[in-house]
Amino acid sequence: MGNILFYYLSAMPATLITNIKQLVNVRTESPVLRGKQLAELPCIENAYLLIEDDTIAGYGAMSELTAGGKDVIFPLSMQSKDDILDAEGCLVLPAWCDSHSHLVFAASRENEFIDKINGLSYAEIAARGGGILHSARRLQQTSEDELFRLGWARLQEVSRMGTGAIEIKSGYGLTVEAELKMLRVIKKLKEKSPVSIKATFLGAHTYPPEYKDNHSGYIDLITEQMLPAIAAEKLADYIDVFCETGFFSPEETMAICRAGMRYGLKPKIHANQLNCSGGVQAGVALGAVSVDHLETMDDGAIRALAGSDTIGTLLPTAAFFLRMPFQPARALVDAGCAIALATDFNPGSSPSGNMNLVVAMSCIQMKLLPEEAINAATLNGAHAMELGRELGSITVGKKANLIVTKPVPSLAYLPYSFGSNLIDRVMIRGEWI
Ligand code: NIG
Ligand code: FE
């Protein structure tokens, strides 16, 4: 490449990435993508990318840098050669936007994993007091500091795997005190981590044992005690309900979400995971930001989602781990839905926060094209956290959250070569992590 002239004075730190084999998901406009739009993944071959401070400042073809021997102007602050990365043979993508996780939890549940190998179902384990209730007992006994330490370690792990934004839910507290504790941990993660974090209140994850036969009593606790306390401390961005047979009905889901909406919390709900029980239609009627899971979908649910602005968030590693049919991604995209991909990172149904695996699995098992999967895991994931204006694509002015791959033959090689670690480095808000 030709000389790069460090020209104008800038107080801001800057990084230049050169010789990028393919700069992926480059957009001037970045709306939610639906249907056929998902297969369009704009890329620049043999590209450069300029980052100033924590922001994407410019990009283009390498030929523009070197054209006619003309030097290109870059910030004076970028004087050390350490600030220039030669990415020959590598791809640069927006970092993953994981819009559904339960990353704060007290303990793993591999005993139930063995129970499942021995033949019990997820619902049977839950009915015996295992599952979410097991996680709730452990969380209630764990201090806020310890939960923070555990959550921080998981956040570090997933960010090294390329996640630059993540939504984290409560829902393993199930008492006023323990739900507040979980949400305070999420708030502290938000304050301390460069990763963009959204917090979701999921008090309606299951009924605690003391309310087993008094569902309306627990719903009152959520709406009359938990929500006002959460709002007073500004602990949540969204409200979620596990809308499922044996958990919360569509009517209960609507009532709880409406109560949350009165405190400014928009719904993002667990719908149609184990049963096709009206969760998607409830979410659409509420104007939910997203309805998530969608393992069990009928034509009515697909049509309802396709005709709405609600994003359908697919969690293939949860289907995989519970040995359930995968989400009907092809039917959803072909019907014109907007879909996102997320990990559901949690100890019961998806003990992995690896978005690379989610992307691979969605191509291998759900027949998404690599382009569709990458759009769903970046830009649409950002929109499913209402972060589409600042994250999810290579756009001037967006935050510099980036994945630089190792040298790879092509974009399709990423999901094809599932299980390989193909990430060379990750940048979050302009800093290599
Ligand atoms: O998204 N389905 C409900 N909630 C989680 C699982 C929670 C758990 O088993 O701990 C999920 O799969
Ligand atoms: Fe979940």
Side-chain angles (χ1 to χ4, degrees):
M1 126 184 158
N3 291 328
I4 293 172
L5 193 65
F6 301 133
Y7 201 93
Y8 66 83
L9 252 178
S10 165
M12 284 187 284
T15 303
L16 177 67
I17 309 178
T18 60
N19 296 318
I20 302 166
K21 182 187 175 88
Q22 202 173 32
L23 182 61
V24 179
N25 214 351
V26 185
R27 296 173 184 274
T28 46
E29 303 287 321
S30 49
V32 178
L33 304 170
R34 53 173 58 249
K36 286 192 173 54
Q37 295 169 333
L38 278 150
E40 290 159 22
L41 185 68
C43 297
I44 303 178
E45 315 286 317
N46 197 16
Y48 73 89
L49 178 63
L50 178 68
I51 296 108
E52 277 185 12
D53 198 14
D54 62 354
T55 302
I56 295 172
Y59 56 76
M62 282 304 290
S63 56
E64 292 168 23
L65 281 187
T66 54
K70 182 164 68 70
D71 291 327
V72 173
I73 300 165
F74 285 111
L76 187 64
S77 61
M78 197 176 59
Q79 283 180 338
S80 147
K81 70 176 179 0
D82 294 344
D83 296 334
I84 302 183
L85 175 70
D86 183 343
E88 180 140 16
C90 309
L91 314 182
V92 174
L93 299 85
W96 306 126
C97 296
D98 182 358
S99 61
H100 182 135
S101 93
H102 309 247
L103 171 143
V104 173
F105 55 88
S108 57
R109 301 208 313 252
E110 60 274 28
N111 290 350
E112 293 175 6
F113 171 61
I114 303 298
D115 290 340
K116 281 196 221 87
I117 292 172
N118 284 325
L120 288 187
S121 71
Y122 181 80
E124 283 163 342
I125 291 168
R128 290 173 163 205
I132 298 165
L133 289 178
H134 176 96
S135 285
R137 284 193 297 277
R138 295 298 298 269
L139 187 130
Q140 287 160 10
Q141 295 154 4
T142 305
S143 71
E144 198 171 309
D145 285 350
E146 176 64 1
L147 282 172
F148 176 79
R149 194 186 64 75
L150 292 166
W152 181 260
R154 290 183 199 117
L155 199 53
Q156 296 286 101
E157 187 201 7
V158 300
S159 58
R160 288 193 193 106
M161 293 191 288
T163 296
I166 191 164
E167 180 255 20
I168 310 177
K169 297 172 192 299
S170 73
Y172 291 131
L174 307 182
T175 64
V176 178
E177 190 193 349
E179 283 295 311
L180 288 172
K181 176 168 69 178
M182 255 190 112
L183 287 165
R184 287 185 191 124
V185 169
I186 300 170
K187 186 175 186 183
K188 204 154 137 200
L189 292 171
K190 238 187 207 191
E191 287 163 0
K192 301 232 154 140
S193 172
V195 173
S196 298
I197 296 176
K198 290 284 182 148
T200 299
F201 169 52
L202 175 57
H205 202 182
T206 190
Y207 293 97
E210 58 276 28
Y211 288 96
K212 193 164 160 279
D213 300 314
N214 178 14
H215 287 189
S216 63
Y218 185 57
I219 294 171
D220 289 347
L221 187 75
I222 290 172
T223 56
E224 287 165 23
Q225 293 192 42
M226 292 182 184
L227 274 171
I230 289 163
E233 283 186 55
K234 294 194 171 45
L235 291 175
D237 302 296
Y238 301 109
I239 181 145
D240 191 350
V241 176
F242 187 20
C243 184
E244 183 58 61
T245 311
F247 292 80
F248 296 83
S249 69
E251 295 70 31
E252 290 166 338
T253 299
M254 307 256 297
I256 295 164
C257 288
R258 288 211 169 104
M261 289 162 85
R262 287 196 277 278
Y263 290 98
L265 308 184
K266 291 188 192 164
K268 270 171 78 68
I269 67 171
H270 280 74
N272 294 45
Q273 180 184 12
L274 309 175
N275 295 282
C276 195
S277 53
V280 166
Q281 285 89 337
V284 166
L286 288 161
V289 174
S290 67
V291 288
D292 303 26
H293 267 292
L294 315 188
E295 282 87 337
T296 58
M297 294 287 279
D298 60 12
D299 285 351
I302 294 176
R303 266 199 312 276
L305 189 59
S308 77
D309 288 334
T310 298
I311 295 174
T313 300
L314 313 182
L315 312 168
T317 49
F320 171 70
F321 190 78
L322 297 184
R323 299 186 193 87
M324 290 194 60
F326 282 87
Q327 291 84 1
R330 232 0 325 134
L332 293 170
V333 173
D334 296 345
C337 297
I339 59 157
L341 288 167
T343 63
D344 198 18
F345 191 6
N346 77 78
S349 66
S350 181
S352 164
N354 188 343
M355 282 294 285
N356 305 284
L357 188 59
V358 165
V359 167
M361 213 173 269
S362 71
C363 297
I364 298 164
Q365 291 290 341
M366 310 195 317
K367 295 195 173 169
L368 285 183
L369 294 166
E371 291 81 2
E372 292 172 321
I374 289 169
N375 273 325
T378 55
L379 183 53
N380 275 11
H383 281 293
M385 296 183 271
E386 296 180 297
L387 291 172
R389 265 192 290 198
E390 58 187 272
L391 292 171
S393 62
I394 306 294
T395 301
V396 171
K398 283 197 177 184
K399 296 291 167 224
N401 283 10
L402 307 169
I403 292 171
V404 181
T405 71
K406 294 174 183 169
V408 288
S410 68
L411 183 79
Y413 189 80
L414 298 180
Y416 159 84
S417 183
F418 76 96
S420 290
N421 176 10
L422 296 173
I423 294 184
D424 180 53
R425 53 176 90 193
V426 176
M427 176 179 275
I428 310 274
R429 294 192 174 245
E431 303 272 354
W432 299 114
I433 59 160

